[in-house]
């Protein structure tokens, strides 16, 4: 049961940093093109797309024009570390959501939103400062899954510290967007169909019974809510290098922006903005 508690504690944090807004089944995972030193990327962030994007950066690039719904936390962090090393400029064309916002936008030496573009966070429940002791203990666990999650989170927070980002902003976004029940997902090593649970007790019972067969797992809100912070909030929590940040005038304008994304890319999305928060 101690292992399950550690898994639950760490996985809430890991899963909260990574949510993909699903694309339609008939759409490709991503597209990438390059002109001179500018990369144009659109799609989800996974192992294949991250490797392609990193290769394009390493071949010689100084700017990325991106449209991404997010994806894998680990793959996004891999890209972010390379972007930081090469001092990449990032321009968000239509949207940069979830792992794209949490890592790629934060990593860019300079960043901007093009007109009508969206930057979207969906958040976590606990900041790094409150969990360092838990991570230290979990890294010494005999359970490989616990160790892997702990190492991933430690690497994430090391990255945030290196760019001066305060992940309390992600905690705030979590509080604003977590208004629906949590959904738990588990994949087994045998490749069988993903197990989905809506009750924590059933999830924990399954994990306890099959801990050695678990390949991966995640849980988070099954919610379309996305937090689009204003410039004040970004700078307050250490996001630097923002050169242009057009922001909807009010919630009505933000709702219209969300509708455009729904019509354009068939996203199930609702945007929450900053119009009072300081």
């Amino acid at each position: 049961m101690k292992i399950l508690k550690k898994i639950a504690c760490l996985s809430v944090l890991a899963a909260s940093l990574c949510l993909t807004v699903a694309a339609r089944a008939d759409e490709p995972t991503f597209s990438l093109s390059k002109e001179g030193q500018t990369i144009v990327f659109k799609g989800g962030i996974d192992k294949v797309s991250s490797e392609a994007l990193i290769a394009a950066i390493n071949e010689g690039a100084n700017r990325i024009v991106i449209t991404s719904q997010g994806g894998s936390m680990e793959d996004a962090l891999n890209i972010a570390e390379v972007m930081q090393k090469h001092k990449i400029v990032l321009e968000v064309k239509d949207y940069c959501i979830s792992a794209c916002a949490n890592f790629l936008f934060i990593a860019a030496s300079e960043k901007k939103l093009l007109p009508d573009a969206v930057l979207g966070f969906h958040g976590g429940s606990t900041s790094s400062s409150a969990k360092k002791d838990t991570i230290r203990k979990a890294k010494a666990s005999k359970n490989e899954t616990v160790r892997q999650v702990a190492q991933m989170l430690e690497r994430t927070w090391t990255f945030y510290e290196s760019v001066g980002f305060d992940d309390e902003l992600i905690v705030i976004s979590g509080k604003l967007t977590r208004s629906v029940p949590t959904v738990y997902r588990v994949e087994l090593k045998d490749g069988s169909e993903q197990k989905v649970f809506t009750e924590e007790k059933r999830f924990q019972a399954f994990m306890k019974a099959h801990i050695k067969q678990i390949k991966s797992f995640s849980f988070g809100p099954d919610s379309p809510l996305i937090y689009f912070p204003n410039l004040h909030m970004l700078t307050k929590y250490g996001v630097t290098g923002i050169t242009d940040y057009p922001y909807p005038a009010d919630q009505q304008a933000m709702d219209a922006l969300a509708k455009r994304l729904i019509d354009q890319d068939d996203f199930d999305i609702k945007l929450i903005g900053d119009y009072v928060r300081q």
Side-chain angles (χ1 to χ4, degrees):
M1 186 58 67
K2 288 183 178 179
I3 288 177
L4 286 177
K5 288 182 178 179
K6 286 183 179 179
I7 288 173
C9 175
L10 296 173
S11 297
V12 163
L13 297 171
S16 72
L17 292 170
C18 173
L19 175 150
T20 302
V21 183
R24 291 176 295 217
D26 59 348
E27 292 182 344
T29 304
F30 75 98
S31 63
L32 186 153
S33 61
K34 190 175 180 184
E35 183 174 342
Q37 291 193 311
T38 296
I39 299 168
V40 179
F41 178 92
K42 180 174 182 178
I45 299 171
D46 56 22
K47 181 175 176 57
V48 175
S49 64
S50 65
E51 288 179 350
L53 186 50
I54 288 171
I57 294 171
N58 287 332
E59 288 171 2
N62 56 22
R63 185 171 70 118
I64 299 173
V65 179
I66 198 165
T67 298
S68 177
Q69 65 268 35
S72 161
M73 172 183 176
E74 181 174 7
D75 293 317
L77 181 52
N78 290 340
I79 297 169
E81 290 172 340
V82 174
M83 288 177 61
Q84 184 184 20
K85 176 182 177 181
H86 289 273
K87 295 181 171 55
I88 299 296
V89 173
L90 187 74
E91 295 183 5
V92 179
K93 183 180 179 183
D94 289 317
Y95 45 85
C96 177
I97 296 172
S98 186
C100 179
N102 291 355
F103 295 102
L104 276 61
F105 191 83
I106 300 301
S109 61
E110 292 184 8
K111 63 269 286 179
K112 65 185 293 186
L113 299 188
L114 298 177
D116 295 327
V118 170
L119 181 70
F121 297 83
H122 61 81
S125 58
T126 309
S127 66
S128 58
S129 60
K131 285 298 176 183
K132 286 183 178 179
D133 187 56
T134 299
I135 295 299
R136 181 182 59 80
K137 293 177 181 178
K139 284 176 63 182
S141 170
K142 295 181 180 180
N143 182 273
E144 182 181 0
T145 302
V146 172
R147 291 199 308 271
Q148 289 177 344
V149 175
Q151 290 166 0
M152 187 70 245
L153 289 171
E154 183 178 55
R155 184 178 157 207
T156 296
W157 293 331
T158 297
F159 164 72
Y160 283 157
E161 288 179 356
S162 74
V163 295
F165 175 63
D166 182 352
D167 63 350
E168 182 66 24
L169 179 66
I170 296 178
V171 177
I172 291 170
S173 67
K175 292 176 181 178
L176 292 172
T177 59
R178 289 178 182 273
S179 61
V180 295
T182 297
V183 174
Y184 305 81
R185 296 178 174 86
V186 181
E187 291 187 13
L188 300 178
K189 294 177 181 178
D190 62 9
S192 58
E193 186 176 353
Q194 184 184 71
K195 309 299 181 183
V196 180
F197 304 89
T198 56
E199 296 180 13
E200 183 177 357
K201 288 184 178 180
R202 290 188 176 184
F203 164 72
Q204 290 190 351
F206 184 86
M207 291 289 289
K208 183 177 181 180
H210 300 87
I211 188 65
K212 293 184 179 180
Q213 288 77 47
I214 302 299
K215 177 183 178 182
S216 65
F217 54 90
S218 65
F219 47 95
D222 188 16
S223 170
L225 295 175
I226 298 293
Y227 171 50
F228 184 180
N230 63 17
L231 182 59
H232 171 81
M233 289 295 285
L234 289 175
T235 55
K236 179 179 179 179
Y237 291 98
V239 182
T240 61
I242 301 173
T243 59
D244 197 8
Y245 198 78
Y247 196 75
D250 51 34
Q251 188 63 48
Q252 184 177 359
M254 187 163 285
D255 291 343
L257 199 55
K259 185 178 185 305
R260 182 179 69 81
L261 294 182
I262 293 170
D263 294 341
Q264 174 181 297
D265 286 347
D266 199 23
F267 282 176
D268 180 16
I269 187 172
K270 179 176 175 56
L271 300 174
I272 301 174
D274 278 313
Y275 299 105
V276 177
R277 182 180 305 279
Q278 295 296 325

